[in-house]
Amino acid sequence: MAKVIMIQGTMSGAGKSMLAAGLCRIFARKGLRTAPFKSQNMALNSYITRDGLEMGRAQVMQAEAAGLEPDVRMNPVLLKPTSDTGSQVIVGGKVRADMDARAYFRYKKELIPEILDAYRSLSRENDIIVVEGAGSPAEINLKSDDIVNMGLAKMIGSPVLVVGDIDRGGVFAQLAGTWLLLEQEERRYVKGLVINKFRGDKSILDPGVAMLKKYTPVTTVGVIPYVDLDLDDEDSLSGRLEQNRAQDGKLDIAVIRLPHLSNFTDFNALSRSGQAAVRYIRFASELGHPDLLILPGSKNTMGDLRWMRKEGLEEAVVKAARSGLPVLGICGGYQMLGRSIQDPAGVEDGGEIAGLGLLPVETVFAGSKRRTRAGGRVCSLSGTWKALSGTEFEGYEIHMGRSRILTEHGSAADPQAQNQPVSFSDLKLLQDRQTHADGCQTGNVCGTYVHGLFDNAAMQKALLSMLLERKGRQAPAQARFMDNKDWKNRQYDILADTIAANMNMDMVFEIIDRGMDTI
């Protein structure tokens, strides 16, 4: 069985995911077979594995850092919030049920055998497992029947590093307070403390680190500097979502920040060329005059569409589209752009709701979720989107709805007619090997079900070149168009180098080697 190290945090956003990813990279570069693990994740940014199963983005990032293909065993339980009090519960990559918080709290103990099976299976295949906790182990209202922090550490006998975020302030109170709120039995699992996201001269911290020993006997094994990395974010705490202003000299890409926004990782790659800036807007007054407007994915499409109406964003989007602005919808955003969304099975809110009416499409929610990797080629588009025609890409589908293009007569339109609706792309689905038409384009508005569309260098270049041409410009020679995999590998190396240079790695390896016998 593999040796194990667990990363817990003083709060959400302390840097557990990044620290775990960096350690995965460090261990893998030493030739150790390394895999990440998180028993229970809560996030709207998810991923579809090559065998068509759904898992959280953080463990995908960590698997990539370790040089592994993402495997659903790395994240056996995923919770995808559908409201303030309820979530879709995904176990082993498949939807198990929709539950409110109290129901899930009662139910989660039943998941322990499946969690441990996944962990033990990974452990038999690897040398080291890097485990990530969730939130904080000091959330005393949630400690009963814990399956993701100290409860899991006890089940698998894992030593723990606790990481605190100095960038938010009060890091010594975070670390000392977490220690003081742990039960005596839990404290023996904590073998090291880490201060994360420090800016400035580390020697300034030395007196505080020394005084911290008065409150906890645990050694601080690292002070990690703040490093600006471009890696996939997991949830709504991402700093990307706070960017809501256009940047001078760059293409302005505006994304509607829906309340149940999902998979905003779709747009991370669009900023890498240096030609565009992506911003997220919540109010009609923030829209301005972007070069591209995107309606992203949503875990509650009908509810988010009602929110857009309430906030005046529907009117703003329709007005912008009618002015000729390119508008793109992805997954739930594509469904919103259509004429209607029907939910006869009560997958979301039930009933029917009118869409924005910008695409001649109707969507009906089905009881089963489509989860598949896909590869495709953009169809022969017209007008604004013509420059994308023929571009190849890879991505994935993850949705409950089924959409079809309508005409006044209820059938597909003549694809040769200018501004008549056509499919956006031809897709081959990895899971069932079937090929089908995806999405819809008419005039300056288009939509697709494909996530990860712009992770491909060819699609990045085609889209941004199209937008630059509309402004009478061309992409300069130094513009960076890079496939996501190559870009992220560079980022993982920077992350690993930073951690290795600022943590006592000899002590970390001793903690791993000695496990719970570590002093």
Side-chain angles (χ1 to χ4, degrees), residues 320-431:
R322 289 176 177 166
S323 74
L325 176 70
V327 177
L328 170 66
I330 294 181
C331 200
Y334 166 42
Q335 296 170 345
M336 292 181 190
L337 290 173
R339 294 181 183 174
S340 67
I341 301 172
Q342 302 167 36
D343 185 17
V347 173
E348 286 190 357
D349 297 341
E352 180 175 351
I353 187 172
L356 274 65
L358 295 174
L359 288 175
V361 168
E362 70 173 13
T363 298
V364 179
F365 285 156
S368 60
K369 179 184 287 190
R370 172 174 281 169
R371 311 178 312 268
T372 182
R373 304 289 301 177
R377 181 190 297 269
V378 178
C379 294
S380 180
L381 305 183
S382 62
T384 302
W385 300 94
K386 185 177 180 180
L388 273 63
S389 299
T391 307
E392 295 184 352
F393 59 86
E394 293 183 356
Y396 60 97
E397 290 193 25
I398 173 173
H399 55 93
M400 305 293 287
R402 305 293 185 267
S403 301
R404 68 187 185 103
I405 299 175
L406 304 172
T407 68
E408 296 306 318
H409 302 292
S411 61
D414 176 6
Q416 302 303 316
Q418 182 72 10
N419 288 336
Q420 288 300 305
V422 295
S423 298
F424 177 76
S425 65
D426 291 318
L427 278 184
K428 185 172 184 179
L429 308 183
L430 183 63
Q431 266 57 59

Side-chain angles (χ1 to χ4, degrees), residues 140-160:
I140 54 179
N141 58 314
L142 300 176
K143 289 177 69 171
S144 174
D145 302 316
D146 170 56
I147 62 172
V148 68
N149 284 312
M150 286 300 176
L152 179 64
K154 293 176 185 178
M155 288 182 231
I156 62 178
S158 177
V160 173

Side-chain angles (χ1 to χ4, degrees), residues 2-311:
K3 295 182 181 297
V4 59
I5 184 73
M6 187 173 191
I7 312 300
Q8 297 186 23
T10 57
M11 65 179 82
S12 294
K16 298 184 294 294
S17 297
M18 287 294 186
L19 182 57
L23 290 175
C24 282
R25 191 68 158 194
I26 290 170
F27 301 150
R29 292 196 306 197
K30 290 184 175 293
L32 298 166
R33 296 174 301 169
T34 307
F37 184 81
K38 185 169 185 175
S39 56
Q40 171 195 286
N41 206 340
M42 176 177 281
L44 286 174
N45 280 352
S46 61
Y47 178 89
I48 300 300
T49 65
R50 290 205 172 273
D51 48 358
L53 301 173
E54 188 173 3
M55 62 184 289
R57 278 272 171 179
Q59 282 60 63
V60 172
M61 175 184 67
Q62 293 155 6
E64 292 171 345
L68 298 179
E69 180 72 27
D71 185 319
V72 77
R73 292 177 296 172
M74 300 167 182
N75 175 213
V77 181
L78 173 64
L79 306 178
K80 299 189 74 172
T82 55
S83 68
D84 290 343
T85 59
S87 293
Q88 186 179 73
V89 180
I90 297 168
V91 182
K94 300 178 181 179
V95 176
R96 177 71 55 90
D98 286 284
M99 297 185 185
D100 62 33
R102 290 187 178 277
Y104 178 72
F105 196 80
R106 293 191 298 268
Y107 171 72
K108 65 180 181 177
K109 290 184 294 184
E110 299 180 28
L111 297 173
I112 291 175
E114 292 171 271
I115 289 170
L116 293 179
D117 283 348
Y119 174 80
R120 289 165 182 157
S121 178
L122 281 177
S123 186
R124 287 190 290 267
E125 298 172 8
N126 291 278
D127 300 315
I128 296 179
I129 305 294
V130 180
V131 181
E132 180 186 345
S136 164
E139 292 170 346
I140 54 179
N141 58 314
L142 300 176
K143 289 177 69 171
S144 174
D145 302 316
D146 170 56
I147 62 172
V148 68
N149 284 312
M150 286 300 176
L152 179 64
K154 293 176 185 178
M155 288 182 231
I156 62 178
S158 177
V160 173
L161 301 180
V162 176
V163 57
D165 179 4
I166 197 171
D167 196 46
R168 298 191 195 181
V171 72
F172 297 115
Q174 294 175 37
L175 293 169
T178 297
W179 172 262
L180 291 170
L181 286 174
L182 293 178
E183 299 170 9
Q184 193 65 39
E185 169 65 14
E186 295 172 330
R187 291 179 182 178
R188 74 183 191 90
Y189 287 85
V190 181
K191 306 301 181 181
L193 305 177
V194 180
I195 295 173
N196 197 25
K197 306 181 190 178
F198 181 70
R199 305 173 193 252
D201 182 353
K202 287 195 293 185
S203 65
I204 296 173
L205 276 185
D206 290 345
V209 171
M211 287 186 283
L212 187 60
K213 294 285 286 185
K214 295 181 180 179
Y215 301 97
T216 165
V218 184
T219 299
T220 299
V221 299
V223 177
I224 311 299
Y226 184 93
V227 56
D228 190 13
L229 293 170
D230 182 12
L231 288 168
D232 288 346
D233 305 277
E234 184 175 55
D235 55 31
S236 59
L237 292 175
S238 170
R240 297 178 195 271
L241 300 183
E242 301 305 321
Q243 300 171 18
N244 62 2
R245 294 186 179 182
Q247 296 183 23
D248 292 341
K250 293 187 177 183
L251 291 169
D252 179 19
I253 299 175
V255 181
I256 305 294
R257 186 177 174 180
L258 302 169
H260 299 93
L261 168 67
S262 66
N263 291 72
F264 59 84
T265 49
D266 285 341
F267 317 117
N268 292 354
L270 292 177
S271 301
R272 293 173 190 159
S273 68
Q275 304 307 300
V278 178
R279 61 188 175 95
Y280 292 83
I281 63 172
R282 288 177 289 184
F283 308 105
S285 59
E286 296 175 335
L287 179 57
H289 302 281
D291 298 296
L292 172 66
L293 177 59
I294 298 176
L295 275 68
S298 166
K299 193 63 192 72
N300 189 331
T301 305
M302 298 174 81
D304 282 355
L305 183 52
R306 292 189 180 97
W307 171 83
M308 285 182 61
R309 289 197 170 123
K310 178 182 177 184
E311 297 296 329

